């Protein structure tokens, strides 16, 4: 098949998060299976065309996703006239392929669910406190303005253009049952229209070579230091853990985002909150992917207490390294950890549960190592290229068959391109 991907995120230029990791892994998998692949992606620096092995990458200069979404449709349509792609895959976030299917209405479209914008908005929304309302009210009066009423966050799926665009796809695929079930409720999408298709994952040999048996007493958090990742709950659990296991060390690997205190980033905020425990803490900052195996090799337990995740690659990396894992039961992480069979699951926003699970693994190293070995084997058996590759090929063929039966889309029924700032 001749397969096109539209994705603002693609390494190394726009390796922004999990979408970039997924597309890179999927492209490698499908190219190795003999398919012809082209990627239409973003770049912070320049417009260019690259070739990575047999894969052609069209880089579109865009500092933000919304700029990319405005431009990519025309570029894809021009290339389609030359190549005649069999199928196009794109993410739901930002509706990046909305213009492409408008300009090429006959193209079969597969939309891969990552995490829709409304889910992120829900997670980041914090209701204003009474004190905040008072400050804004009297601040407006001092400036001679009429205070505006506060509006709580509300969501109407009928006005969500990402939803409208996604429903125009010939196949909708979900890497986790969690995101499929959430959209079944929030977007009123028939479960039969969403296909559960886990993402492929190719662990590096460096991860697989890490010994299962370690005894470092190091607990590692890998990910952006932000509220959504459960970092504040981990911070509250640290004193509880150190009370029982005072020799424990905590490492934080990831870039620091805003904190509840507007004057401090999350790194500074955590240091202030945990000032009595600073000798037990280490903040490393953001690291390139190739440095992660060395961090995991020195780690006994990884903690990922996210409020919500769809298909977290950081968990798969820790599983491949055979680490003990304490992960959130909310979202797709519970599926990766096989319902708690290969790692400890804790409810989100529960520092006491985090502390209890970590202490149990610290005090029972044999259990930790047994879970680590089982986690590594699960990665190799469930997310390998052969298994996921066959499922993905079948998904594309269903989309092609459906679009051939329906014919070209009615352009008048298509949503306008969606330029969401993310």
């Amino acid at each position: 098949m001749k397969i096109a991907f539209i994705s603002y995120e693609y390494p190394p230029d726009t390796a922004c998060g999990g979408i970039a990791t997924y597309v890179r892994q999927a492209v490698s998998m499908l190219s190795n299976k003999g398919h012809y692949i082209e990627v239409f992606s973003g770049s912070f620096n320049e417009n260019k065309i690259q070739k990575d092995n047999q894969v052609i990458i069209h880089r579109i200069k865009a500092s933000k996703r919304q700029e990319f979404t405005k431009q990519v449709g025309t570029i894809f349509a021009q290339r389609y006239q030359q190549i005649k792609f069999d199928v196009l895959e794109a993410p739901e976030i930002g509706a990046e392929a909305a213009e492409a299917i408008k300009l090429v209405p006959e193209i079969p479209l597969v939309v891969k669910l990552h995490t829709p914008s409304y889910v992120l908005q829900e997670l980041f929304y914090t209701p204003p406190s009474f004190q905040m309302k008072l400050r804004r009210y009297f601040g407006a009066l001092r400036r001679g303005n009429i205070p505006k009423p506060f509006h709580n966050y509300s969501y109407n799926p009928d006005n969500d253009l990402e939803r409208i665009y996604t429903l125009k796809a010939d196949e909708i695929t979900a890497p986790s049952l969690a995101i499929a079930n959430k959209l079944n409720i929030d977007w009123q999408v028939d479960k039969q229209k969403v296909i559960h298709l886990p993402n492929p994952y190719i662990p590096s040999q460096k991860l697989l070579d890490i010994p299962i048996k370690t005894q470092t007493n190091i607990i590692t958090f890998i990910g952006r230091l932000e509220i959504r990742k459960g970092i504040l709950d981990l911070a509250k659990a640290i004193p509880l853990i150190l009370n029982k296991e005072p020799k424990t060390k905590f490492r934080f690997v990831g870039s620091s985002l805003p904190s509840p205190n507007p004057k401090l980033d999350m790194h500074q905020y955590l240091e202030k909150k945990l000032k009595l425990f600073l000798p037990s803490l280490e903040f490393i900052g953001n690291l390139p992917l190739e440095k992660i195996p060395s961090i995991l090799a020195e780690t006994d337990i990884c903690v990922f207490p996210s409020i919500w995740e769809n298909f977290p690659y950081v968990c798969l990396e820790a599983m491949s390294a055979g680490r003990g894992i304490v992960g959130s039961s909310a979202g797709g992480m519970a599926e990766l950890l096989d319902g708690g069979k290969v790692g400890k699951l804790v409810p989100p926003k529960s520092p006491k549960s985090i502390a209890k699970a970590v202490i149990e693994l610290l005090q029972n190293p044999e259990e930790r190592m047994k879970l680590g070995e089982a986690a590594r084997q699960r990665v190799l058996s469930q997310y390998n290229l052969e298994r996921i590759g066959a499922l993905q090929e079948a998904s594309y063929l269903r989309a092609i068959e459906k679009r051939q039966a329906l014919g070209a889309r009615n352009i008048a029924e298509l949503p306008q391109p969606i330029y969401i700032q993310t």
Side-chain angles (χ1 to χ4, degrees), residues 89-388:
E89 180 178 320
E92 87 289 14
I93 189 168
E96 293 174 356
E99 181 73 5
I101 62 172
K102 182 179 179 181
L103 297 175
V104 188
E106 69 273 22
I107 187 73
L109 173 66
V110 174
V111 168
K112 186 78 169 186
L113 300 174
H114 294 279
T115 303
S117 297
Y118 87 91
V119 177
L120 299 176
Q121 291 165 0
E122 285 181 345
L123 292 172
F124 281 110
Y125 174 74
T126 302
S129 65
F130 180 72
Q131 292 79 5
M132 183 183 297
K133 291 181 180 181
L134 285 178
R135 285 199 301 271
R136 292 187 182 179
Y137 181 87
F138 288 111
L141 291 178
R142 284 195 301 271
R143 293 189 294 271
N145 299 325
I146 298 175
K148 295 181 180 180
F150 279 88
H151 297 286
N152 292 327
Y153 173 78
S154 61
Y155 173 66
N156 183 355
D158 293 335
N159 297 330
D160 187 338
L161 296 182
E162 288 183 355
R163 172 182 177 268
I164 297 170
Y165 152 81
T166 298
L167 293 179
K168 298 298 181 182
D170 299 296
E171 177 105 334
I172 303 170
T173 60
S176 69
L177 290 171
I179 191 66
N181 292 335
K182 183 168 180 58
L183 295 193
N184 170 247
I185 297 171
D186 295 348
W187 278 6
Q188 300 174 348
V189 180
D190 189 334
K191 285 184 177 181
Q192 295 181 350
K193 292 185 178 180
V194 181
I195 306 301
H196 179 218
L197 177 52
N199 295 346
Y201 180 67
I202 311 165
S204 72
Q205 195 59 47
K206 288 184 178 180
L207 290 173
L208 298 176
D209 287 342
I210 293 174
I212 297 291
K213 294 184 178 181
T214 58
Q215 193 67 54
T216 65
N217 290 325
I218 292 177
I219 312 297
T220 299
F221 171 93
I222 303 175
R224 292 186 296 272
L225 305 187
E226 62 175 340
I227 293 174
R228 181 169 68 97
K229 298 293 183 180
I231 192 71
L232 297 181
D233 303 308
L234 175 57
K236 292 176 182 177
I238 285 174
L240 304 177
I241 296 169
L242 290 173
N243 183 51
K244 295 288 186 180
E245 297 292 330
K247 294 182 180 180
T248 306
K249 301 293 183 181
F250 296 85
R251 278 182 173 174
F252 298 87
V253 180
S255 55
S256 186
L257 271 64
S259 77
N261 185 334
K263 297 181 180 180
L264 303 174
D265 65 26
M266 190 63 81
H267 175 181
Q268 296 166 331
Y269 182 82
L270 293 177
E271 285 192 328
K272 183 176 180 180
K273 285 290 184 180
L274 297 169
K275 60 183 178 181
L276 297 179
F277 309 98
L278 289 181
S280 299
L281 309 181
E282 182 182 8
F283 291 87
I284 295 178
N286 201 28
L287 288 178
L289 190 60
E290 59 268 20
K291 298 287 187 180
I292 297 301
S294 62
I295 293 292
L296 291 173
E298 298 175 350
T299 296
D300 279 347
I301 302 167
C302 289
V303 181
F304 307 124
S306 300
I307 298 172
W308 166 265
E309 294 281 0
N310 181 2
F311 194 89
Y313 280 97
V314 67
C315 184
L316 288 167
E317 292 164 359
M319 292 168 69
S320 301
R323 301 302 82 186
I325 299 172
V326 175
S328 172
S329 62
M333 198 175 307
E335 296 169 41
L336 297 184
L337 295 175
D338 199 12
K341 294 179 182 178
V342 300
K344 297 274 189 180
L345 290 176
V346 295
K349 301 182 180 180
S350 180
K352 290 183 179 179
S353 298
I354 295 170
K356 181 175 182 292
V358 169
I359 290 168
E360 286 177 355
L361 292 182
L362 285 171
Q363 295 179 347
N364 297 278
E366 291 300 323
E367 179 190 7
R368 166 174 59 81
M369 295 172 196
K370 183 179 178 181
L371 290 171
E373 179 61 41
R376 176 178 283 173
Q377 293 306 314
R378 178 167 172 77
V379 169
L380 296 174
S381 66
Q382 295 299 308
Y383 306 105
N384 62 73
L385 302 188
E386 291 74 18
R387 178 174 182 270
I388 304 302

Side-chain angles (χ1 to χ4, degrees), residues 5-106:
F5 284 84
I6 288 179
S7 174
Y8 175 64
E9 298 182 27
Y10 192 77
D13 294 38
T14 48
C16 308
I19 297 177
T21 303
Y22 158 71
V23 178
R24 181 64 174 269
Q25 298 253 345
V27 164
S28 176
M29 172 184 71
L30 293 165
S31 179
N32 289 336
K33 290 176 73 66
H35 299 289
Y36 178 84
I37 312 291
E38 293 196 15
V39 180
F40 297 79
S41 186
S43 171
F44 295 130
N45 302 312
E46 60 182 329
N47 294 311
K48 58 186 175 182
I49 298 177
Q50 302 169 299
K51 194 167 185 180
D52 184 5
N53 293 323
Q54 300 302 312
V55 178
I56 294 177
I57 305 166
H58 302 262
R59 294 286 184 181
I60 300 168
K61 185 179 179 180
S63 60
K64 297 177 181 178
R65 192 186 305 273
Q66 59 178 348
E67 297 175 18
F68 171 77
T69 303
K70 289 179 182 179
Q71 301 177 59
V72 69
T74 300
I75 295 171
F76 171 80
Q78 292 171 348
R79 186 61 175 167
Y80 176 81
Q81 295 305 316
Q82 298 173 309
I83 302 298
K84 300 295 181 183
F85 296 107
D86 295 309
V87 65
L88 166 65
E89 180 178 320
E92 87 289 14
I93 189 168
E96 293 174 356
E99 181 73 5
I101 62 172
K102 182 179 179 181
L103 297 175
V104 188
E106 69 273 22

